[in-house]
Amino acid sequence: MSKDNYGLNPDRPTRNAAVQSADAEGHVDPTVEFELDTDQPAGAAAYLRTTTAIRSRAAMLLARARAGESKWFTIGNADALEDTARTIGEVTRDRYPWNPIPYHSRWRHFEAGGINRVKMLDDLLGPIDATQRARAHIDLVLVSVLLDAGAGPDWHYVEPATGQRYTRSEGLGVASFHAFTSGLFSSNPAHPFQADAAGLRALVTDRLGDAFQVSSFNPLVGLAGRATLLRRLGEAMSEQPEYFGDDGRPGGIFDALVSPHGPVAPPTAEIRAHDILSLLLDSLSAIWPASNAVDSIAADGSDAAGTGDPAFALGDCWRHSAVQGPGLTNGWMPFHKLSQWLTYSLLEPFEWAGVKVRQVDALTALPEYRNGGLLIDSGLIVPKDPAFLAREWKVGDEFIVEWRALTIALLDELVPVVRKVLGRKEDELPLARMLEGGTWAAGRVMAQRLRDGAPPLRIVSDGTVF
């Protein structure tokens, strides 16, 4: 059996404890591995790391809200859906009147100010082959995405070479680009244009703050959390050379997915988008808060004493009292927003290297401030009590969990309506391009119009989710 058939290679060892059928040497029997026993932490974690779980549970919460059973929200009618689609269509036409709409990804932020920073990086890398270039692109974008939680309203970044001032996601993108090209994430002075395990493990919060121009007058929300996340990334990569190579580089996932275990020649290689996401969720589980683990909730929804095994840490997956599911998955609503944002952002490095990425629509919408804020501001998601918009929430509060789930389900419903508004075919406007066209920008436009750019909800952030 091959990796192409099952997404796992039986001849390639794994150290991931969540892979339940690995033998003592780490080899996998895929026929056993895909029989998920959700009464066990390994099987439950594996299921909750799928977009099938995300979509089905989000759809259930949407159906429940439409039936009037939610204590938090009501859902707008068909007219509200059409109005929201028209708003998205108008913004999309303004942004992309003629050109093909690109993927929603971190690479768009590297283009801020109309500057082609990818070309700048390629020029710095010099004459290297496509695989080496892909590794460097992946190094950059993985670190940058993990730094991409909300910056807060008071932070900005001034690009030294241009003097241009950037805020929010564009600012974080441009700042992380220059931190990367300065060698901040590399342990090897002879090879500064990379990120590696040793460099990330040694990352000092103050040095990251200096690279992002943070000061008492220019505060960045969740700076310490971001630095901790990168240090955890370094630890996780150093412990998994089968995914990240002996040097522990994010770019090692290119080789893990494509060569030598895929087709020999990268231009003919094919992978699925969910292959990328699954590898990220399995290999990086240790970087997320270990307390948020699948074995910390029992099948009846009550608290349980978890093992603390990082292989079962779920990251962006939260409890909701109305979510039902088998075994230990009961009560959990998964999102994996940063991991999916990273997957969207990895599509282009793989494709630039000649690898065809299929089934991109398996990924879900990204439930965050702009996409979810748009649906509140357009009247499609309506809080039952206006006071909910005035108070401060935590990421794990049920109100926020449900809002994010409703965002995913409603954006799936909006895709065909927006296509109709724009006269686009399915292959011209998949979800990944509507998000770019599209919903994220429309959310920002609405927020600017209504609240000077602030989102409609106030959420306490540690820099690892929002």
Side-chain angles (χ1 to χ4, degrees), residues 64-221:
R64 182 173 172 273
R66 281 191 167 129
E69 298 172 5
S70 170
K71 69 178 180 180
W72 304 111
F73 301 100
T74 60
I75 305 300
N77 59 20
D79 288 341
L81 191 76
E82 292 280 351
D83 289 344
T84 304
R86 280 192 287 271
T87 297
I88 296 167
E90 290 171 3
V91 172
T92 302
R93 285 194 189 99
D94 287 342
R95 286 165 52 79
Y96 299 100
W98 303 108
N99 296 328
I101 302 169
Y103 292 131
H104 185 55
S105 81
R106 189 57 155 170
W107 298 98
R108 307 290 80 76
H109 298 152
F110 295 143
E111 299 164 356
I115 298 170
N116 188 345
R117 294 182 183 83
V118 178
K119 184 179 183 304
M120 291 170 57
L121 175 59
D122 287 343
D123 289 344
L124 290 170
L125 292 170
I128 57 177
D129 65 35
T131 296
Q132 292 174 306
R133 197 172 301 279
R135 292 188 194 115
H137 289 161
I138 292 169
D139 284 358
L140 164 64
V141 80
L142 193 149
V143 170
S144 183
V145 165
L146 291 184
L147 290 167
D148 192 35
D154 302 318
W155 177 82
H156 66 272
Y157 178 80
V158 177
E159 188 172 30
T162 65
Q164 293 195 54
R165 184 180 188 272
Y166 299 103
T167 61
R168 301 189 182 273
S169 291
E170 288 85 356
L172 292 169
V174 174
S176 61
F177 176 87
H178 289 293
F180 179 85
T181 57
S182 74
L184 180 62
F185 309 120
S186 173
S187 66
N188 187 344
H191 298 282
F193 311 126
Q194 66 179 39
D196 58 61
L200 292 171
R201 289 201 311 267
L203 183 64
V204 177
T205 301
D206 286 348
R207 285 197 66 201
L208 183 65
D210 290 343
F212 280 65
Q213 302 175 353
V214 175
S215 69
S216 58
F217 302 102
N218 191 32
L220 176 64
V221 170

Side-chain angles (χ1 to χ4, degrees), residues 296-304 319-321 323 327-332:
S296 64
I297 180 172
D300 64 0
S302 62
D303 288 323
R319 295 170 66 164
H320 191 293
S321 62
V323 171
L328 293 172
T329 73
N330 192 58
W332 286 108

